Amino acid sequence: MKSILLLEDDLGLSEGLTFALKKQGYEIDGKRTIAEAKKAWNEKKYDLLILDVSLPDGNGFDFCKLVRQNSEVPIIFLTASDEETNVIMGLDIGGDDYVTKPFKLGILLSRVSALLRRTKIGSDDKTILESNGIKVDYLQGIAFCEGKSIDLTSVEFKLLCFFMQNPNIVLSKEKLYERLWDREGNFVEDNTLSVYIRRLRMKIEKEPDCPEKIITVRGMGYKWRVML
């Protein structure tokens, strides 16, 4: 049984989500403050975290930073704002996805299921990928650019791997959604994928505004262009 830590201070919402997630077969620990969540995190291993952003004693971003010091557990943010600055902040510090309040329960359940399924890389995949000066080690969960370690979030890491597994092939947004979230594209906020792409480009491209590795194919999607 997969275990989920839910950090949400709204009692009604927390109880509703706990009930719904338990019906899906998950084990849920609901906490309402960062202090309670820290204690739970130190005492137990979780398969996924759902973090509200605004909390009585801080915010979910701070707790995410704490977790990312020693764990790559999938993290979903619950936020009352879909402003791009908040989205970028959440993804940049290590979040894997976000859901804007108010949201449909089915969307959150779909994202939880997708992240849990995508956490482990299939055993039939190659464990080492190398292309365009980038080297990825699946087993270690690390990536290098020109020999220097790159600090990637878990979704950025999966996105980079997917591109490198499909060199010189145009990948539609729908295909990328399917790979990363395993759900229909209309369940994803419009700017989510573009934010991931932009953040990844900033970490691997010499000139992010004029990318050479991750190319935008207008009207079709994106392509990992292998440079000789």
Side-chain angles (χ1 to χ4, degrees), residues 159-178:
L159 184 60
L160 176 60
C161 290
F162 192 43
F163 275 125
M164 295 178 69
Q165 287 173 322
N166 296 275
N168 296 320
I169 296 175
V170 177
L171 300 173
S172 66
K173 291 183 179 180
E174 290 73 20
K175 192 69 175 180
L176 292 168
Y177 290 145
E178 178 184 349

Side-chain angles (χ1 to χ4, degrees), residues 180-207:
L180 296 180
W181 294 282
D182 193 25
R183 59 180 184 268
E184 295 298 326
N186 60 336
F187 285 168
V188 184
E189 282 78 2
D190 290 340
N191 64 348
T192 303
L193 181 59
S194 62
V195 169
Y196 281 124
I197 295 290
R198 182 164 64 252
R199 300 304 299 177
L200 184 56
R201 281 172 169 163
M202 291 179 65
K203 296 178 181 181
I204 67 171
E205 299 278 5
K206 291 181 179 179
E207 297 184 33

Side-chain angles (χ1 to χ4, degrees), residues 6-11 30-34 36 55-57:
L6 171 63
L7 177 53
E8 168 60 61
D9 66 321
D10 185 314
L11 181 59
K31 305 301 177 183
R32 300 181 65 187
T33 67
I34 291 179
E36 292 175 352
L55 297 159
D57 56 344

Side-chain angles (χ1 to χ4, degrees), residues 136-148:
V136 169
D137 186 328
Y138 270 170
L139 296 182
Q140 297 294 322
I142 55 178
F144 300 87
C145 179
E146 305 296 343
K148 296 182 179 180

Side-chain angles (χ1 to χ4, degrees), residues 38-56:
K38 286 181 179 178
K39 185 174 185 297
W41 175 252
N42 290 330
E43 295 176 349
K44 183 175 178 179
K45 180 179 179 180
Y46 293 95
D47 297 293
L48 182 140
L49 308 183
I50 301 176
L51 310 178
D52 188 17
V53 172
S54 299
L55 297 159

Side-chain angles (χ1 to χ4, degrees), residues 15 18 23 60 63 72 86 99 110 140 161 207 215 219 225:
E15 291 180 343
T18 297
K23 285 189 63 177
F63 187 65
E72 290 300 317
N86 289 326
V99 178
S110 176
Q140 297 294 322
C161 290
E207 297 184 33
I215 305 301
R225 183 174 66 185

